[in-house]
Structure formats: structure tokens, C-alpha cells
Amino acid sequence: MSSLLSIEGVWKHFHGNSVLRGIDLEVRSHEVVSLIGASGSGKSTLLRCANLLETVDDGVIRLDGEEITDPRVDVDGVRKQLGIVFQAFNLFPHMTVLANITLAPRRVHGVSRERAEQEARDLLAKFGLADKADAYPDQLSGGQQQRVAVVRALATRPKLILLDEVTSALDPELVREVLGIIRELKESGMTMLLTTHEMSFCREISDTVCFLDGGVLLEKGPPDQLFGDPEHERTRAFLQGVRESGRL
């Protein structure tokens, strides 16, 4: 099976510091790939490069065979094929839930208002939010806001969804409902690249787990192998710390 997303030799520098160092990674269709590692290891930067929110300093990224790091690429056209969900929700506070979800399908993809609203309501119902269509973000719990953010990403029918620590801003009791949505997305065959600190969930849901350390993709493999018998001492030390904190 060919790769939907291919990252080859990607470097990214900020103010003279290399935050990504020659990253090689492939995400195949219907696969869930998780990025783990300490804060500052480069996980979120890698997602932002994949969505062209950051430009790479060296290397190539391809989406469905197209080199999207080519300076001549249509950035908006690339982003039409991707959904991204941030840890801070990023909903427009002055818009209702329905307006937040239908904005991109209508303005970017040219979908009619009637069709966009019907599809949005169908998605809201699927994820237990049918009664929140006319609510504003500040009338929702954090878990509900994050679920709306996921629905908004799905509304454009992306080939790939990028999820950046989508539970880190939530109270512990709200984490479960958001993880439930991600589990449903996997069961539906959605292709996902995500960063997470939820290690037990990562082990359950991932097809491939990648450990980043200091901007280097140090180790990757199936979750049982990486969590059960990692090759590198640095990976073992990181996972030991996770276990001691009760997160695995």
C-alpha cells in the first residue's frame, strides 16, 4: 500500500536551533500513527509542517504522491485535503457551533448552505452533540468544544486528520469522551497522525508509534514492540518515567 503522507529527511530550524532533524515517516491510508516524546521533542512542529503551517528548511513532504513542500504548491489546495485539531479548540467564539462547522465547507469548498448544514447536523448527531448546533462555544464544556473541533475537521471530508494533543487542555473526566471520538474515527477507517501523552490509549489505537527525542525520530514500530521491548535506552527511560507517573 502506498503512503498517503510521506515525510523524507525533514529539517526545521528556529532561531538557529534544529527542532526537527532529518525526520523520515510514512502514514498509509487508514493507518493511525502516533507521535510520543517529551515536551519540546518536535511532535507538534512536525504536525504543523505536514499542514504547511510551518515551512521546512530541508527535506520533502508528499501528500498522496504530490510534493507539497514545493514552493510553487497551492497551499490552500493542500489544506483542503487535511483536517487539523489543536489542543486549544480554536473555535470562533462569536459563531454558533453550526456556523463554526459549516464555515470551511461553504467558504473554501463551495458547498451550499443547505447541504453543509445538513451534513454538519448529521455529524453532530453521530458524536452526541445534536442539541448543541445553536449553542456558542462558551456555552459548552471543554470536552464538548473539543468534540466540535473534531467535527469541524471532519466536515471537509479530509484524506488525513492531524490531532495535536487534543486532550491536554481538558479536565481528566472529559478526556474519555474525546478519546472515544478518536476511537470511532479509527473504526471508520480515518487516517490519522496524532501527538499524545495518553500512553495507554496510544498503545490501544495506534498502528505505528514513533518516539521523538530532541527533534530526532529515534524509534518507531508497532505499539506492542515499542512499548513492550524498545530498542533504544532513551526510549526505555522515557517509558519508565511514564510508567512511574501512572500513565501507562
Side-chain angles (χ1 to χ4, degrees):
M1 185 187 303
S2 61
S3 296
L4 178 59
L5 180 72
S6 177
I7 298 171
E8 304 170 14
V10 163
W11 287 75
K12 178 63 183 177
H13 312 292
F14 287 117
H15 309 297
N17 297 317
S18 298
V19 295
L20 295 177
R21 302 168 179 263
I23 300 290
D24 293 311
L25 176 63
E26 292 191 354
V27 181
R28 301 181 186 277
S29 293
H30 312 301
E31 185 178 35
V32 177
V33 176
S34 295
L35 309 176
I36 65 171
S39 296
S41 60
K43 306 184 300 296
S44 295
T45 299
L46 185 56
L47 286 193
R48 291 176 64 85
C49 287
N51 196 49
L52 304 183
L53 292 171
E54 300 285 355
T55 57
V56 304
D57 293 308
D58 198 4
V60 172
I61 300 178
R62 292 185 173 87
L63 178 64
D64 214 5
E66 177 189 8
E67 183 184 338
I68 62 174
T69 43
D70 187 320
R72 299 164 294 182
V73 78
D74 176 6
V75 173
D76 290 336
V78 170
R79 290 182 182 150
K80 285 181 182 180
Q81 304 174 65
L82 300 170
I84 187 165
V85 183
F86 300 96
Q87 54 185 292
F89 319 142
N90 288 6
L91 300 174
F92 294 109
H94 64 290
M95 292 183 175
T96 65
V97 165
L98 190 65
N100 265 280
I101 295 169
T102 59
L103 181 64
R106 290 177 55 219
R107 298 284 183 86
V108 179
H109 293 261
V111 177
S112 69
R113 177 189 291 272
E114 182 179 7
R115 177 183 159 194
E117 289 188 353
Q118 184 57 57
E119 291 181 353
R121 291 184 188 277
D122 290 345
L123 283 169
L124 287 169
K126 179 178 180 180
F127 294 115
L129 294 163
D131 61 338
K132 303 300 182 184
D134 297 322
Y136 287 86
D138 64 1
Q139 297 173 315
L140 306 179
S141 71
Q144 289 170 335
Q145 289 186 61
Q146 193 60 288
R147 280 189 284 161
V148 170
V150 173
V151 169
R152 181 176 62 179
L154 290 173
T156 58
R157 300 185 177 184
K159 294 179 179 179
L160 169 69
I161 286 190
L162 309 170
L163 303 163
D164 188 16
E165 298 288 2
V166 293
T167 61
S168 65
L170 301 178
D171 294 332
E173 62 267 25
L174 300 176
V175 169
R176 185 176 300 175
E177 64 186 73
V178 175
L179 295 183
I181 283 191
I182 301 173
R183 192 177 285 111
E184 288 184 40
L185 293 179
K186 176 181 173 64
E187 291 171 356
S188 73
M190 176 60 68
T191 309
M192 291 182 278
L193 177 62
L194 60 96
T195 71
T196 185
H197 289 299
E198 301 289 338
M199 296 299 159
S200 295
F201 180 75
C202 173
R203 185 168 189 170
E204 169 199 342
I205 199 174
S206 303
D207 296 295
T208 302
V209 180
C210 304
F211 174 63
L212 275 72
D213 183 55
V216 176
L217 204 169
L218 194 62
E219 185 167 359
K220 60 185 172 184
D224 285 347
Q225 181 272 315
L226 192 136
F227 285 106
D229 187 26
E231 296 179 0
H232 290 271
E233 176 58 34
R234 181 69 189 94
T235 314
R236 291 193 290 271
F238 173 78
L239 292 174
Q240 181 60 33
V242 170
R243 291 188 184 93
E244 290 173 356
S245 70
R247 291 186 288 125
L248 182 62

